[in-house]
Amino acid sequence: METKTKFWQDVRKDWQFYFDEGKSYLNTCKKLIVNPKSFDNEFIYNLAVLAGERLVLGMLLSYDYIPSSTSLSGMLQEGKEFYQLDEDILEGARFLNKFQTFCSLEVIPFTPPDQQELESIVKYIVLIAQFSTNNLNKLVTAEE
């Protein structure tokens, strides 16, 4: 009996899986910004960043390109051969990174964004969703 995994088997299905997951996370963030329930700003921030990363990963996979970077800014820069990358897109990624230092030898406590910053972050991820949608590989999406 053959077992089938969901990942890295079919480029068309794989890019769609990650892209759809990113859209789903973003939709949740938009709802939580209005009504956070028991979720704090740190959780919503992390979910928003994950949404952006999944959207960009899905977009890059649509080109049959597997990025070596796992950060949003790193993946965006890796894919420059597929699209034009405006400075506002990179600036938004830098804004996200100000809340968390990655790969630092110093242990710096996480500073969650305040409500206004969090709203800006979710708006930025909406921009990432639009950017990713506009820059999907048209050849792959046309075959579906």
Side-chain angles (χ1 to χ4, degrees), residues 4-23 53-67 136-137 140-141 143-144:
K4 200 169 187 180
T5 62
K6 313 192 259 192
F7 305 104
W8 311 111
Q9 300 296 315
D10 182 331
V11 172
R12 284 185 303 201
K13 289 178 186 167
D14 288 345
W15 79 261
Q16 188 77 55
F17 173 83
Y18 290 105
F19 193 79
D20 289 348
E21 190 172 60
K23 288 192 299 188
E53 290 169 350
R54 293 300 184 158
L55 287 161
V56 172
L57 176 60
M59 175 185 62
L60 291 173
L61 287 173
S62 80
Y63 291 95
D64 200 17
Y65 180 83
I66 300 172
L136 287 171
N137 183 350
V140 170
T141 57
E143 293 176 12
E144 284 196 294

Side-chain angles (χ1 to χ4, degrees), residues 69-127:
S69 179
T70 58
S71 73
L72 182 57
S73 58
M75 285 190 287
L76 284 166
Q77 293 204 40
E78 273 189 59
K80 282 191 210 179
E81 67 186 85
F82 305 116
Y83 44 76
Q84 181 179 347
L85 193 56
D86 297 330
E87 187 57 34
D88 61 332
I89 296 285
L90 287 175
E91 197 170 305
R94 284 188 216 102
F95 177 68
L96 289 178
N97 291 342
K98 92 173 202 171
F99 298 98
Q100 216 166 2
T101 305
F102 298 99
C103 302
S104 175
L105 295 177
E106 293 180 50
V107 177
I108 301 170
F110 178 78
T111 305
D114 63 29
Q115 187 62 30
Q116 186 177 12
E117 291 169 323
L118 195 58
E119 289 171 10
S120 294
I121 289 166
V122 173
K123 283 180 186 173
Y124 171 69
I125 300 302
V126 168
L127 179 67

Side-chain angles (χ1 to χ4, degrees), residues 41-49 96 99-100 110 113 118 121:
N41 286 9
E42 182 176 355
F43 175 84
I44 300 169
Y45 165 82
N46 285 321
L47 188 61
V49 171
L96 289 178
F99 298 98
Q100 216 166 2
F110 178 78
L118 195 58
I121 289 166

